[in-house]
Amino acid sequence: MRDKIIHKSAELFLNLGFKSVTMDDIATEMGISKKTIYVHFKNKTKLVEAVTFNLFDTICDGIDSICDNAPNPIEELYSIKMFVMHHLKNEKSSPQYQLKKYYPQIYDVLKYKQFEKMHQSVKDSLNHGVETGVFRKSIDVDFISRMYFTGMTGIKDNMFFPTETYNMNYLMESYLEYHLRAIVSEKGMTILNNFIHNQS
């Protein structure tokens, strides 16, 4: 039952927002009593925490699988973007922003976990790209992996990129291309241009 509650709550939170979904809403959606939810989670904050880190673990597992199977580091990044977008339902309700505003402690822990995961994952990908001649040999791998995380986090900030002007898919697509064009070799540029051309 605990897993079912987490799964249904994640769906509601991502579509409607952490703030607007109540314990009553979740109980009604699931056809169970609110008391049943409280058996597993002592309050809404504990439920939000469980949903957040469950989603984080699911996304990490998916990213690991993509990294193991991608034909090259360029397509790997695009596949990760598609996977994350699918899991976050295009962030209709800006869940990251709501988490930061209403559950700042959970947000801070999540951001640190995201940084640890992405920093290592992007470093591995960059090193692989350098070894295979897709990225320039002169790039500073540690610096670029930190910049990549900062940029990916920054485009989700509503203050700088309001959702009524920019949708998340456009932002991620544009940022990925911006990031890759800065680091690819000639070989990588050919792969990137062909990939973008085939997507359009």
Side-chain angles (χ1 to χ4, degrees):
M1 180 52 79
R2 188 177 192 276
D3 288 345
K4 286 182 180 172
I5 294 168
I6 288 175
H7 183 75
K8 176 52 75 177
S9 301
E11 200 180 291
L12 292 170
F13 288 149
L14 288 175
N15 282 315
L16 304 169
F18 287 108
K19 175 71 172 161
S20 54
V21 176
T22 65
M23 296 298 242
D24 283 314
D25 294 333
I26 296 163
T28 303
E29 275 285 323
M30 294 186 71
I32 60 174
S33 73
K34 200 158 62 164
K35 203 181 288 182
T36 306
I37 299 176
Y38 284 117
V39 167
H40 299 279
F41 304 97
K42 77 174 183 189
N43 54 43
K44 186 180 170 186
T45 301
K46 286 290 175 197
L47 176 57
V48 168
E49 186 177 55
V51 166
T52 300
F53 295 124
N54 181 266
L55 196 58
F56 173 76
D57 289 339
T58 302
I59 288 173
C60 284
D61 290 345
I63 288 172
D64 288 342
S65 173
I66 290 166
C67 293
D68 290 341
N69 297 298
N72 61 64
I74 291 171
E75 290 184 50
E76 179 185 297
L77 279 177
Y78 278 96
S79 297
I80 289 171
K81 184 213 78 153
M82 292 299 292
F83 175 77
V84 170
M85 290 295 288
H86 170 72
H87 269 275
L88 296 181
K89 318 286 186 201
N90 294 327
E91 303 204 344
K92 292 188 193 102
S93 60
S94 234
Q96 197 121 340
Y97 173 76
Q98 289 206 358
L99 200 63
K100 184 178 182 179
K101 187 171 180 183
Y102 300 111
Y103 299 94
Q105 284 174 304
I106 297 172
Y107 174 81
D108 286 343
V109 175
L110 175 66
K111 191 168 180 183
Y112 183 72
K113 283 166 79 86
Q114 283 177 328
F115 172 70
E116 279 190 313
K117 174 67 185 172
M118 201 192 264
H119 184 49
Q120 194 52 56
S121 178
V122 173
K123 268 170 72 172
D124 292 345
S125 175
L126 290 169
N127 281 321
H128 179 53
V130 170
E131 284 160 19
T132 52
V134 174
F135 299 146
R136 288 182 285 108
K137 284 194 170 9
S138 59
I139 63 172
D140 182 335
V141 167
D142 187 68
F143 172 74
I144 288 169
S145 66
R146 289 171 188 273
M147 283 297 292
Y148 183 72
F149 178 79
T150 307
M152 270 297 182
T153 310
I155 61 172
K156 291 178 180 171
D157 191 318
N158 281 30
M159 189 170 83
F160 302 121
F161 298 99
T163 45
E164 56 272 19
T165 310
Y166 297 99
N167 74 55
M168 191 47 67
N169 192 54
Y170 172 81
L171 285 172
M172 288 183 84
E173 195 85 17
S174 301
Y175 181 67
L176 257 186
E177 187 177 341
Y178 170 80
H179 162 74
L180 286 167
R181 288 196 183 281
I183 62 174
V184 289
S185 61
E186 277 186 50
K187 176 184 172 182
M189 186 65 83
T190 303
I191 294 169
L192 177 61
N193 287 335
N194 286 341
F195 181 78
I196 291 171
H197 176 72
N198 292 333
Q199 294 295 297
S200 56

